[in-house]
Amino acid sequence: MLQPFGERIWITDGPVATVAGFRYPTRMAVIALASGQLFVWSPVALTPELRRATDALGEVAHLVAPNALHHLFLADWAAAYPGARLHGAPGLAARRKDLAFDAELGAGPDPAWAEDLDQTLFAGNAITTEAVFFHRPSRTAIFTDLLQQFPPGWFRGWRAAIARLDRMTGAEPQVPQKFRLAFTDRAAARPALAHILAWPAEQVLMAHGEPVRSDGQAFLARAFAWLKP
């Protein structure tokens, strides 16, 4: 249910979600912090099997919604783990007034996970402000929607054509065209990009696409070359 992805990090895929007629696979990560507590990134649908697997790793202390689009299953996780702190990306608390957020994700890591994770906010995007993380023990950069890759044949008919034009089905993960166009303030985004490119990333994890398992820093430089000055 939870597969090791490196030192003290596990991932699992959830059910496919449909958004505007397009099918999206879902993925989450669980990180065991140096404190022994668990950091749950972009939680997927909570099943009894997933809950047992998560509980076997430790105490769930932080539930993290890394952008304002990834929130579908937060309520179930918050109900299952009432002692966990709920962290949302900028703008999410206004969208999900039914949830009691404890903190808004910022441009730097929360003290509770600063020993294990660095983070930055990819600002300047009209669709969403995404928090991007770097897990030091596994040397993994963690993205949500800003990098995507769907396998051949995932979409059919006119959706396949749109996905191709949107750069969702390339040879390697890319920033979708809609997100590129939504960076209406590229100057605001470039400090976050410089921060990300400085990470010694070996792996790159994303919610929608196969992870990059080697040469992550070089991959990120290629993926975001269009955003450089």
Side-chain angles (χ1 to χ4, degrees), residues 57-193:
L57 297 176
E59 174 197 358
V60 174
H62 304 283
L63 301 172
V64 179
N67 68 29
L69 306 175
H70 276 236
H71 56 83
L72 296 180
F73 307 107
L74 282 179
D76 290 343
W77 282 79
Y81 298 100
R85 288 175 56 83
L86 192 57
H87 305 262
L92 183 53
R95 178 175 293 189
R96 291 299 304 268
K97 294 182 179 180
D98 58 310
L99 295 174
F101 286 90
D102 296 287
E104 182 175 276
L105 294 169
D110 188 287
W113 60 72
E115 184 177 346
D116 303 89
L117 292 150
D118 193 11
Q119 77 188 60
T120 188
L121 284 181
F122 232 135
N125 193 286
I127 296 176
T128 190
T129 298
E130 182 166 305
V132 182
F133 297 89
F134 178 66
H135 182 235
R136 295 187 184 92
S138 66
R139 296 179 65 184
T140 301
I142 306 174
F143 286 77
T144 312
D145 289 323
L146 290 181
L147 290 169
Q148 298 183 26
Q149 184 192 31
F150 293 80
W154 181 268
F155 299 110
R156 297 185 181 278
W158 63 269
R159 291 185 177 88
I162 290 178
R164 184 175 62 255
L165 292 172
D166 199 30
R167 302 176 185 267
M168 297 163 66
T169 54
E172 66 178 0
Q174 300 181 68
V175 181
Q177 187 68 14
K178 58 181 170 289
F179 283 100
R180 297 187 189 207
L181 295 174
F183 274 106
T184 54
D185 188 349
R186 294 192 174 191
R190 285 173 180 145
L193 177 60

Side-chain angles (χ1 to χ4, degrees), residues 23-69:
R23 297 164 53 249
Y24 283 80
T26 57
R27 176 175 295 125
M28 63 172 273
V30 178
I31 293 171
L33 302 175
S35 65
Q37 296 179 319
L38 300 182
F39 170 105
V40 178
W41 169 86
S42 191
V44 301
L46 183 61
T47 64
E49 294 80 11
L50 179 55
R51 182 169 185 176
R52 285 194 295 269
T54 303
D55 290 344
L57 297 176
E59 174 197 358
V60 174
H62 304 283
L63 301 172
V64 179
N67 68 29
L69 306 175

